[in-house]
Amino acid sequence: MSVNLQGNTISITDQNTHHLANQMLDTQALPMILQQIHQDVIEEYGKGNVADYIPALAKVNPHQFGMAIRTVDEQEFSIGAADTAFSIQSISKLFTLMLALDIVGDDLWKRVGREPSGMRFNSLVLLDSEGGIPRNPFINAGAMVVTDIIAARSAAPARRIEEFIASLSGNDANRIDQLVAAGEQATGYRNIAIANLLKGMGNLEAEVEQTLDCYFKQCAMTMSCRDLARAIECLANRGRSHFKSSFHGEKMDKRINSLMLTCGLYDAVGNFAYNVGLPAKSGVGGGIVAICPGQYSVAVWAPELDHYGNSVLGQLALEKLTFYTHTSIF
Ligand code: GLU
């Protein structure tokens, strides 16, 4: 593949008609590719809506875009608002899963499944009919069980989650936004219902209020694209992180990445896998993180969401990234 900058556009020519899947990332071309992606996606501003279920998210400027890529050999490339902190929301479910697996190992799977749900992320429907075992750790019910594992085994669980995430990114400024957390709590009727149902069906160990408090707070963590790309580096690098030496991530990457591929983008995960071809996790703050195993981690942020709750520009940017670089898991 060759990439040439002509005026403001990149022309990408593929010397082989049948390109090799998952090529090595050409880091020299990456700055130009990121510029091109930025230019392409900002034309799509206005095609979605920012999350508005709490005031702190509703007032975010919708026309923002940032992207950061971190290679396993520690090179970083970024464009736009890559250092602006935003609400990570459901991306936090990835970190609590890592922490809970670190604490209880495979016992976690006695309480949570590993199948896509095909339902909205905050649906209660399957939970009741499937005996209180949530389909996967990325829908809200499953994420609450994962958080409950941490809550039931920690003196200060929200603090533990906050510090675990900050240690993964290497940035101590990554903290819970208390205003966002209070907003989650005040409007979290469906989440409160899910937690009560889980408790009623015997799948919460801690008190409902304690698990919910942690869940609302983890969703309210703020991080930038750069922080996120660093924090998930271990999932691209066989569990190794340059920031957190004590994380036991070996062997976890294959499992967590497969769950992201099948369950990471709500009920739009099939289309995302088709278009992008990378395991990923999104959040309603407009962030999406993705992994190219053995090569790089990437985080993208643009607050306007589609009907499923996924960032419009974020999905497009990742699709263009894998297209321009010929990197995907397929
Ligand atoms: N705090 C949100 C909720 O639990 C997170 C939603 C999301 O990012 O998917 O409803």
Side-chain angles (χ1 to χ4, degrees), residues 53-54 57 87-93 121-122 138 140 144 180 184 187-188 190-191 194 215-216 218-220 266 281-287 305 308-310:
Y53 66 97
I54 55 172
L57 293 184
S87 192
I88 69 169
Q89 292 294 325
S90 274
I91 297 172
S92 66
K93 295 170 181 171
F121 63 95
N122 56 7
F138 295 146
N140 287 11
M144 278 182 215
V180 174
E184 300 282 341
T187 62
R190 290 190 73 90
N191 287 327
I194 291 170
Y215 176 77
F216 290 136
Q218 72 182 60
C219 288
Y266 312 121
K281 182 73 201 85
S282 61
V284 295
L305 309 177
Y308 295 100
N310 295 317

